[in-house]
Coordinates of all heavy atoms in Angstrom, one line a residue:
A1 N 56.5 120.5 98.5 CA 55.7 121.4 99.4 C 55.1 122.5 98.7 O 55.6 123.0 97.7 CB 56.8 121.9 100.4
W2 N 53.9 122.9 99.2 CA 53.1 124.0 98.7 C 53.7 125.3 99.2 O 53.9 125.5 100.3 CB 51.7 123.9 99.1 CG 50.8 124.8 98.5 CD1 50.1 124.6 97.3 CD2 50.4 126.1 99.0 NE1 49.3 125.7 97.0 CE2 49.4 126.6 98.0 CE3 50.6 126.8 100.1 CZ2 48.8 127.8 98.2 CZ3 49.9 128.0 100.3 CH2 49.1 128.5 99.4
T3 N 54.0 126.2 98.3 CA 54.6 127.5 98.7 C 53.8 128.6 98.0 O 53.6 128.5 96.7 CB 56.1 127.6 98.3 OG1 56.7 126.5 98.9 CG2 56.7 128.9 98.8
C4 N 53.5 129.7 98.7 CA 52.9 130.9 98.1 C 54.0 132.0 98.0 O 54.5 132.4 99.0 CB 51.7 131.3 98.9 SG 50.9 132.7 98.3
H5 N 54.2 132.4 96.7 CA 55.3 133.4 96.6 C 54.7 134.9 96.5 O 55.4 135.8 96.0 CB 56.0 133.1 95.3 CG 56.9 131.8 95.4 ND1 58.0 131.7 96.2 CD2 56.7 130.6 94.9 CE1 58.5 130.5 96.1 NE2 57.6 129.8 95.4
C6 N 53.4 135.1 96.8 CA 52.8 136.3 96.7 C 52.9 137.1 98.1 O 53.4 136.5 99.1 CB 51.5 136.3 96.1 SG 50.3 135.4 97.2
R7 N 52.3 138.1 98.1 CA 52.2 139.0 99.4 C 51.0 138.6 100.3 O 50.8 139.3 101.2 CB 52.2 140.4 99.1 CG 53.5 140.9 98.4 CD 53.3 142.4 98.2 NE 52.2 142.7 97.2 CZ 52.3 142.9 96.0 NH1 53.4 142.8 95.2 NH2 51.2 143.3 95.2
C8 N 50.2 137.6 99.9 CA 49.0 137.2 100.6 C 49.2 136.6 102.0 O 48.4 136.6 102.8 CB 48.1 136.4 99.8 SG 48.7 134.8 99.5
R9 N 50.4 136.0 102.2 CA 50.8 135.4 103.4 C 49.9 134.2 103.8 O 49.6 134.1 105.0 CB 50.9 136.3 104.5 CG 52.0 137.5 104.2 CD 52.4 138.2 105.4 NE 53.2 139.3 105.2 CZ 54.4 139.4 104.8 NH1 55.1 138.2 104.6 NH2 55.1 140.5 104.5
L10 N 49.3 133.6 102.8 CA 48.5 132.3 103.2 C 49.3 131.2 103.8 O 50.5 131.1 103.4 CB 47.8 131.9 101.9 CG 46.7 132.7 101.3 CD1 46.1 132.1 100.0 CD2 45.5 132.8 102.3
R11 N 48.7 130.5 104.7 CA 49.4 129.3 105.2 C 49.1 128.1 104.4 O 48.3 128.1 103.5 CB 48.9 129.2 106.6 CG 49.3 130.4 107.5 CD 48.7 130.3 108.9 NE 49.1 131.4 109.6 CZ 48.7 131.6 110.7 NH1 47.9 130.8 111.4 NH2 49.2 132.8 111.4
M12 N 49.7 127.0 104.8 CA 49.5 125.8 104.0 C 47.9 125.4 104.2 O 47.4 125.4 105.3 CB 50.3 124.7 104.7 CG 50.2 123.3 104.1 SD 51.1 123.2 102.6 CE 52.5 122.3 103.2
P13 N 47.3 125.1 103.1 CA 45.9 124.6 103.3 C 45.7 123.3 104.0 O 46.7 122.5 104.0 CB 45.5 124.5 101.7 CG 46.6 124.5 101.0 CD 47.8 125.0 101.8
M14 N 44.6 123.3 104.7 CA 44.4 122.0 105.5 C 43.7 121.0 104.5 O 43.9 119.8 104.8 CB 43.4 122.3 106.6 CG 44.0 123.3 107.7 SD 42.7 123.7 108.9 CE 42.5 122.1 109.7
A15 N 42.9 121.5 103.6 CA 42.2 120.5 102.7 C 41.7 121.2 101.5 O 41.5 122.3 101.5 CB 40.9 120.0 103.5
L16 N 41.8 120.4 100.3 CA 41.1 120.9 99.1 C 39.7 120.4 99.2 O 39.4 119.3 99.2 CB 41.9 120.3 97.9 CG 41.2 120.5 96.6 CD1 41.2 122.0 96.2 CD2 42.0 119.7 95.5
M17 N 38.8 121.4 99.3 CA 37.4 121.2 99.4 C 36.7 120.8 98.0 O 35.8 119.9 98.0 CB 36.7 122.2 100.1 CG 37.3 122.7 101.4 SD 37.2 121.3 102.6 CE 35.5 121.3 103.0
Q18 N 37.0 121.7 97.0 CA 36.2 121.5 95.8 C 37.0 122.2 94.6 O 37.6 123.3 94.9 CB 34.8 122.2 96.0 CG 33.9 122.0 94.9 CD 32.5 122.5 95.3 OE1 32.2 122.6 96.4 NE2 31.7 122.8 94.3
I19 N 36.8 121.7 93.4 CA 37.3 122.4 92.2 C 36.1 122.5 91.3 O 35.5 121.4 91.0 CB 38.5 121.7 91.6 CG1 39.7 121.8 92.4 CG2 38.7 122.2 90.2 CD1 40.9 121.1 91.9
D20 N 35.8 123.7 90.8 CA 34.7 123.8 89.8 C 35.2 124.4 88.6 O 36.2 125.3 88.6 CB 33.7 124.8 90.4 CG 32.8 124.1 91.5 OD1 32.5 122.9 91.4 OD2 32.5 124.8 92.5
G21 N 34.6 124.2 87.5 CA 34.9 124.9 86.2 C 36.4 124.7 85.8 O 36.8 125.6 85.1
S22 N 37.0 123.6 86.0 CA 38.3 123.4 85.5 C 38.3 123.2 84.1 O 37.6 122.4 83.5 CB 38.9 122.2 86.3 OG 40.2 122.0 85.8
R23 N 39.1 124.0 83.4 CA 39.1 124.0 81.9 C 40.6 124.0 81.5 O 41.4 124.9 81.9 CB 38.4 125.2 81.3 CG 36.9 125.3 81.6 CD 36.3 126.5 81.1 NE 36.7 126.8 79.7 CZ 36.6 128.0 79.1 NH1 36.3 129.0 79.9 NH2 37.0 128.1 77.9
L24 N 41.0 123.0 80.8 CA 42.3 122.9 80.2 C 42.3 123.5 78.7 O 41.7 122.9 77.9 CB 42.8 121.5 80.1 CG 42.9 120.7 81.5 CD1 43.1 119.2 81.3 CD2 43.9 121.4 82.3
L25 N 42.9 124.6 78.6 CA 42.8 125.5 77.4 C 43.9 125.3 76.4 O 43.8 125.6 75.3 CB 42.5 127.0 77.8 CG 41.4 127.2 78.8 CD1 41.5 128.6 79.3 CD2 40.1 126.9 78.0
S26 N 45.1 125.1 77.0 CA 46.3 124.9 76.1 C 47.3 124.0 76.8 O 47.4 123.9 78.0 CB 46.9 126.4 76.0 OG 48.1 126.4 75.3
P27 N 48.0 123.3 76.0 CA 49.0 122.3 76.5 C 50.2 123.0 77.1 O 50.6 124.0 76.7 CB 49.4 121.4 75.4 CG 49.2 122.3 74.1 CD 47.9 123.2 74.5
V28 N 50.7 122.4 78.3 CA 51.9 122.9 78.9 C 52.9 121.9 78.5 O 52.8 120.7 78.9 CB 51.7 123.1 80.4 CG1 53.0 123.5 81.0 CG2 50.7 124.1 80.6
K29 N 54.0 122.3 77.9 CA 55.1 121.3 77.5 C 56.3 121.5 78.3 O 56.5 122.5 79.0 CB 55.4 121.6 76.0 CG 54.2 121.4 75.1 CD 54.5 121.7 73.7 CE 53.3 121.5 72.8 NZ 53.5 121.9 71.5
H30 N 57.1 120.4 78.3 CA 58.4 120.5 79.0 C 59.2 121.7 78.6 O 59.4 122.0 77.5 CB 59.2 119.2 78.7 CG 60.5 119.1 79.4 ND1 60.6 118.8 80.8 CD2 61.7 119.3 79.0 CE1 61.8 118.9 81.2 NE2 62.5 119.1 80.1
G31 N 59.6 122.5 79.7 CA 60.4 123.6 79.3 C 59.6 124.9 79.4 O 60.2 126.0 79.5
D32 N 58.2 124.9 79.4 CA 57.4 126.0 79.6 C 57.4 126.6 81.0 O 57.5 125.8 81.9 CB 56.0 125.7 79.3 CG 55.6 125.5 77.8 OD1 56.5 125.8 76.9 OD2 54.5 125.1 77.5
A33 N 57.6 127.9 81.1 CA 57.5 128.5 82.4 C 56.1 128.9 82.5 O 55.4 129.5 81.7 CB 58.4 129.7 82.4
I34 N 55.5 128.6 83.8 CA 54.1 129.0 84.0 C 54.1 129.7 85.3 O 54.9 129.6 86.2 CB 53.3 127.7 84.1 CG1 53.7 126.7 85.2 CG2 53.2 127.0 82.8 CD1 52.8 125.6 85.4
R35 N 53.0 130.4 85.5 CA 52.7 131.1 86.7 C 51.2 131.1 87.0 O 50.4 130.8 86.0 CB 53.2 132.6 86.7 CG 52.5 133.4 85.7 CD 53.2 134.8 85.6 NE 52.5 135.7 84.7 CZ 52.7 135.7 83.4 NH1 53.6 134.9 82.8 NH2 52.0 136.5 82.7
V36 N 50.8 131.2 88.2 CA 49.4 131.1 88.6 C 48.9 132.4 89.1 O 49.6 133.0 90.0 CB 49.1 130.0 89.6 CG1 47.7 129.9 90.1 CG2 49.5 128.6 89.1
H37 N 47.8 132.9 88.6 CA 47.1 134.2 89.1 C 45.9 133.7 89.8 O 45.1 133.0 89.4 CB 46.7 135.0 87.9 CG 47.8 135.5 87.0 ND1 48.4 136.8 87.3 CD2 48.4 135.0 86.0 CE1 49.4 136.9 86.4 NE2 49.3 135.9 85.5
S38 N 45.9 134.2 91.1 CA 44.8 133.8 92.1 C 44.1 135.0 92.5 O 44.8 135.9 92.9 CB 45.3 133.0 93.3 OG 45.8 131.8 92.9
R39 N 42.8 134.9 92.6 CA 42.0 136.1 93.1 C 41.0 135.5 94.1 O 40.3 134.4 93.8 CB 41.3 136.8 92.0 CG 40.5 137.9 92.4 CD 39.9 138.7 91.2 NE 39.1 137.9 90.3 CZ 37.8 137.8 90.3 NH1 37.1 138.4 91.3 NH2 37.1 137.0 89.5
V40 N 40.9 136.0 95.3 CA 40.0 135.6 96.3 C 38.6 136.0 95.9 O 38.4 137.2 95.6 CB 40.2 136.0 97.7 CG1 39.2 135.7 98.7 CG2 41.6 135.5 98.2
V41 N 37.6 135.1 95.7 CA 36.2 135.4 95.4 C 35.2 135.3 96.5 O 34.2 135.9 96.5 CB 35.8 134.7 94.1 CG1 36.5 135.1 92.9 CG2 35.8 133.2 94.3
E42 N 35.7 134.5 97.5 CA 34.7 134.2 98.7 C 35.5 133.8 99.8 O 36.5 133.0 99.7 CB 33.6 133.2 98.2 CG 32.6 133.0 99.3 CD 31.5 132.0 98.9 OE1 31.8 131.2 98.0 OE2 30.5 132.0 99.6
K43 N 35.0 134.2 101.0 CA 35.6 133.7 102.3 C 34.4 133.3 103.1 O 33.5 134.1 103.2 CB 36.4 134.8 103.1 CG 37.6 135.2 102.4 CD 38.5 136.2 103.2 CE 37.8 137.3 103.8 NZ 38.6 138.1 104.6
K44 N 34.5 132.1 103.8 CA 33.4 131.6 104.6 C 34.0 131.1 106.0 O 35.0 130.4 105.9 CB 32.6 130.5 103.9 CG 31.8 130.9 102.7 CD 30.9 129.8 102.2 CE 31.6 128.6 101.9 NZ 30.8 127.5 101.2
E45 N 33.2 131.4 107.0 CA 33.6 130.7 108.3 C 33.0 129.3 108.2 O 32.0 129.1 107.5 CB 33.0 131.5 109.4 CG 33.7 132.9 109.6 CD 33.1 133.7 110.7 OE1 32.2 133.1 111.4 OE2 33.5 134.8 110.9
T46 N 33.5 128.5 109.0 CA 33.0 127.1 109.2 C 32.4 127.0 110.5 O 32.5 127.9 111.4 CB 34.1 126.1 109.0 OG1 35.1 126.2 110.0 CG2 34.8 126.2 107.6
S47 N 31.8 125.9 110.8 CA 31.3 125.7 112.1 C 32.4 125.5 113.2 O 32.0 125.7 114.4 CB 30.4 124.4 112.2 OG 31.2 123.3 111.8
K48 N 33.5 125.3 112.9 CA 34.7 125.2 113.8 C 35.4 126.6 113.7 O 35.8 127.0 112.6 CB 35.6 124.1 113.4 CG 35.0 122.8 113.6 CD 35.9 121.6 113.4 CE 35.2 120.3 113.6 NZ 36.0 119.2 113.5
P49 N 35.6 127.3 114.8 CA 36.1 128.6 114.9 C 37.6 128.7 114.4 O 38.0 129.9 114.1 CB 35.9 129.1 116.3 CG 35.9 127.9 117.1 CD 35.2 126.8 116.2
D50 N 38.3 127.6 114.4 CA 39.8 127.7 114.0 C 40.0 127.5 112.5 O 41.1 127.4 112.1 CB 40.5 126.6 114.9 CG 40.2 125.3 114.4 OD1 39.1 125.0 114.0 OD2 41.1 124.4 114.6
R51 N 38.9 127.5 111.7 CA 39.2 127.2 110.3 C 38.1 127.9 109.4 O 37.1 128.3 109.9 CB 39.3 125.7 109.9 CG 38.0 125.0 110.4 CD 38.3 123.5 110.4 NE 39.1 123.1 111.5 CZ 39.4 121.8 111.8 NH1 39.1 120.8 111.1 NH2 40.2 121.6 112.8
G52 N 38.5 128.1 108.2 CA 37.6 128.8 107.3 C 37.9 128.3 105.8 O 38.9 127.7 105.5
V53 N 37.0 128.6 104.9 CA 37.1 128.2 103.5 C 37.2 129.4 102.6 O 36.5 130.3 102.7 CB 35.9 127.3 103.0 CG1 36.1 126.9 101.6 CG2 35.8 126.1 103.9
I54 N 38.3 129.4 101.8 CA 38.5 130.5 100.8 C 38.4 129.9 99.5 O 38.9 128.8 99.1 CB 40.0 131.1 101.0 CG1 40.1 131.6 102.4 CG2 40.2 132.2 100.0 CD1 41.4 132.2 102.7
T55 N 37.6 130.6 98.6 CA 37.4 130.2 97.2 C 38.2 131.2 96.4 O 38.1 132.4 96.4 CB 36.0 130.3 96.8 OG1 35.2 129.3 97.8 CG2 35.8 129.7 95.4
F56 N 39.0 130.5 95.5 CA 39.9 131.3 94.5 C 39.5 131.1 93.1 O 39.0 130.1 92.7 CB 41.3 130.9 94.7 CG 42.0 131.0 96.0 CD1 41.9 130.0 96.9 CD2 42.6 132.1 96.3 CE1 42.5 130.1 98.1 CE2 43.3 132.3 97.5 CZ 43.2 131.3 98.5
D57 N 39.6 132.2 92.3 CA 39.5 132.1 90.9 C 41.0 132.0 90.4 O 41.7 133.0 90.7 CB 38.8 133.3 90.3 CG 38.5 133.3 88.9 OD1 38.5 132.2 88.3 OD2 38.1 134.3 88.3
R58 N 41.3 131.0 89.8 CA 42.8 130.8 89.4 C 42.9 130.5 87.9 O 42.1 130.0 87.3 CB 43.3 129.4 90.2 CG 43.4 129.7 91.6 CD 44.2 128.6 92.2 NE 44.6 129.1 93.5 CZ 45.1 128.2 94.4 NH1 45.3 126.9 94.1 NH2 45.4 128.7 95.6
R59 N 44.0 131.1 87.4 CA 44.4 131.0 86.0 C 45.9 130.6 85.9 O 46.7 131.3 86.5 CB 44.2 132.2 85.3 CG 42.7 132.6 85.0 CD 42.5 133.9 84.4 NE 43.6 134.3 83.4 CZ 44.0 135.5 83.1 NH1 43.3 136.5 83.6 NH2 45.1 135.7 82.3
C60 N 46.2 129.6 85.2 CA 47.6 129.1 84.9 C 47.9 129.8 83.7 O 47.3 129.5 82.6 CB 47.7 127.6 85.0 SG 49.3 127.0 84.7
V61 N 49.0 130.6 83.7 CA 49.4 131.3 82.4 C 50.8 130.9 82.1 O 51.8 130.9 82.9 CB 49.3 132.9 82.7 CG1 49.7 133.6 81.4 CG2 48.0 133.2 83.1
K62 N 51.0 130.6 80.8 CA 52.3 130.3 80.2 C 53.1 131.6 80.0 O 52.6 132.6 80.0 CB 52.2 129.5 78.9 CG 51.5 128.2 79.2 CD 51.6 127.2 78.0 CE 51.1 127.7 76.7 NZ 51.1 126.6 75.6
H63 N 54.5 131.3 79.7 CA 55.4 132.4 79.6 C 55.0 133.3 78.4 O 55.4 134.5 78.4 CB 56.9 131.9 79.4 CG 57.1 131.0 78.2 ND1 56.5 129.7 78.2 CD2 57.4 131.3 76.9 CE1 56.8 129.2 77.0 NE2 57.4 130.1 76.2
D64 N 54.3 132.8 77.5 CA 53.9 133.7 76.4 C 52.6 134.4 76.5 O 52.1 135.1 75.6 CB 53.9 132.9 75.0 CG 52.8 131.7 75.0 OD1 52.1 131.6 76.1 OD2 52.7 131.0 74.0
G65 N 52.1 134.3 77.7 CA 50.7 134.9 78.1 C 49.5 134.2 77.7 O 48.4 134.5 78.1
T66 N 49.7 133.0 77.2 CA 48.5 132.1 76.9 C 48.1 131.5 78.2 O 48.9 131.0 78.9 CB 49.0 130.9 75.9 OG1 49.6 131.4 74.8 CG2 47.9 130.1 75.5
V67 N 46.7 131.5 78.3 CA 46.1 130.9 79.5 C 46.0 129.3 79.2 O 45.4 128.9 78.3 CB 44.7 131.4 79.7 CG1 44.0 130.7 80.9 CG2 44.8 133.0 80.0
A68 N 46.6 128.6 80.1 CA 46.7 127.1 80.0 C 45.5 126.4 80.7 O 45.1 125.4 80.3 CB 48.1 126.6 80.4
Q69 N 45.1 127.0 81.8 CA 44.1 126.4 82.7 C 43.4 127.4 83.4 O 43.9 128.5 83.9 CB 44.7 125.4 83.6 CG 43.7 124.6 84.5 CD 44.2 123.7 85.5 OE1 45.4 123.9 85.9 NE2 43.5 122.7 85.9
E70 N 42.0 127.2 83.7 CA 41.2 128.1 84.5 C 40.4 127.1 85.5 O 40.1 126.1 85.1 CB 40.2 128.9 83.7 CG 40.8 129.9 82.8 CD 39.8 130.7 82.0 OE1 38.7 130.1 81.6 OE2 40.1 131.8 81.6
M71 N 40.2 127.7 86.6 CA 39.4 126.9 87.7 C 39.0 127.8 88.8 O 39.6 128.8 89.1 CB 40.1 125.6 88.1 CG 41.3 126.1 89.2 SD 42.1 124.7 90.0 CE 43.2 124.2 88.9
N72 N 38.0 127.3 89.5 CA 37.7 127.9 90.9 C 38.0 126.7 91.8 O 37.5 125.7 91.7 CB 36.2 128.2 91.0 CG 35.8 129.4 90.1 OD1 36.6 130.3 89.8 ND2 34.6 129.5 89.8
A73 N 38.8 127.2 92.9 CA 39.2 126.1 93.8 C 38.8 126.6 95.3 O 39.1 127.8 95.5 CB 40.8 125.9 93.8
S74 N 38.2 125.8 96.0 CA 38.0 126.1 97.4 C 38.8 125.3 98.3 O 38.9 124.1 98.2 CB 36.5 125.7 97.7 OG 35.6 126.5 97.0
L75 N 39.6 126.0 99.2 CA 40.4 125.3 100.1 C 40.2 125.7 101.6 O 39.8 126.9 101.8 CB 41.9 125.8 99.9 CG 42.4 125.3 98.4 CD1 42.7 126.6 97.6 CD2 43.6 124.5 98.5
M76 N 40.4 124.8 102.5 CA 40.2 125.0 103.9 C 41.6 125.5 104.6 O 42.6 124.8 104.3 CB 39.7 123.9 104.7 CG 39.4 124.1 106.1 SD 38.7 122.7 107.0 CE 37.1 122.7 106.3
F77 N 41.5 126.6 105.3 CA 42.8 127.1 105.9 C 42.5 127.2 107.4 O 41.3 127.5 107.8 CB 43.1 128.4 105.4 CG 43.7 128.4 104.0 CD1 42.9 128.6 102.9 CD2 45.0 128.3 103.8 CE1 43.4 128.6 101.6 CE2 45.6 128.3 102.5 CZ 44.7 128.4 101.4
R78 N 43.5 127.1 108.3 CA 43.4 127.4 109.6 C 43.4 128.9 109.7 O 44.1 129.8 109.1 CB 44.7 126.8 110.3 CG 44.6 127.0 111.8 CD 45.7 126.1 112.6 NE 45.8 124.8 112.1 CZ 44.9 123.8 112.5 NH1 43.9 124.0 113.3 NH2 45.2 122.6 112.1
R79 N 42.4 129.4 110.6 CA 42.2 130.8 110.7 C 43.2 131.4 111.8 O 43.6 130.7 112.6 CB 40.8 131.1 111.2 CG 39.8 130.7 110.1 CD 38.4 130.9 110.5 NE 38.2 132.3 110.9 CZ 37.1 132.8 111.5 NH1 36.1 132.0 111.7 NH2 37.0 134.0 111.7
R80 N 43.5 132.6 111.7 CA 44.3 133.3 112.6 C 43.5 133.5 113.9 O 42.3 133.8 113.8 CB 44.7 134.7 112.1 CG 45.7 134.6 111.0 CD 46.1 136.0 110.6 NE 46.4 136.1 109.2 CZ 46.3 137.1 108.4 NH1 45.9 138.3 108.9 NH2 46.6 137.1 107.1
P81 N 44.2 133.5 115.1 CA 43.4 133.7 116.3 C 42.9 135.2 116.4 O 43.6 136.1 115.9 CB 44.5 133.5 117.4 CG 45.7 133.1 116.7 CD 45.5 133.1 115.3
K82 N 41.8 135.4 116.9 CA 41.2 136.8 117.0 C 42.0 137.5 118.0 O 42.4 137.0 119.1 CB 39.8 136.6 117.5 CG 38.9 136.1 116.3 CD 37.4 136.3 116.7 CE 36.6 135.6 115.4 NZ 35.3 136.0 115.6
A83 N 42.3 138.7 117.7 CA 43.1 139.5 118.6 C 42.4 140.1 119.8 O 41.2 140.2 119.9 CB 43.7 140.8 117.8

């Protein structure tokens, strides 16, 4: 299951829309601890009012600080109801 351990309170994505600029920079080996740094770079509404697309700039970093992977990922999420 997909889990977000940050304070962003994102829900489960509905769909993976696109991945751009994926670069594998360093191998990840068995026993390596990794973490993902995500930054929102764009939010777009869709034609359907109950969903939207968020584009993230993501970096996978190993325990020693080495960047193992970089990518931009666009995911579709269910939107919160308007108050």
Side-chain angles (χ1 to χ4, degrees):
W2 187 87
T3 307
C4 182
H5 294 287
C6 66
R7 294 181 301 262
C8 67
R9 303 197 189 283
L10 286 177
R11 297 178 180 172
M12 179 81 103
M14 295 175 68
L16 172 62
M17 304 298 291
Q18 185 171 338
I19 292 179
D20 287 323
S22 180
R23 297 175 48 206
L24 300 172
L25 304 170
S26 175
V28 176
K29 298 179 181 171
H30 180 73
D32 284 350
I34 59 172
R35 62 187 184 276
V36 176
H37 296 270
S38 291
R39 182 173 57 95
V40 174
V41 293
E42 184 179 21
K43 295 189 307 183
K44 292 190 300 188
E45 295 181 0
T46 64
S47 59
K48 297 187 178 183
D50 67 331
R51 55 194 77 179
V53 177
I54 301 176
T55 301
F56 298 92
D57 190 11
R58 291 192 166 167
R59 290 178 27 206
C60 180
V61 181
K62 297 194 304 187
H63 62 281
D64 63 0
T66 305
V67 177
Q69 182 185 27
E70 295 178 332
M71 75 170 86
N72 289 339
S74 297
L75 297 118
M76 181 180 290
F77 288 93
R78 189 167 308 282
R79 293 177 61 187
R80 292 184 211 153
K82 293 189 178 191

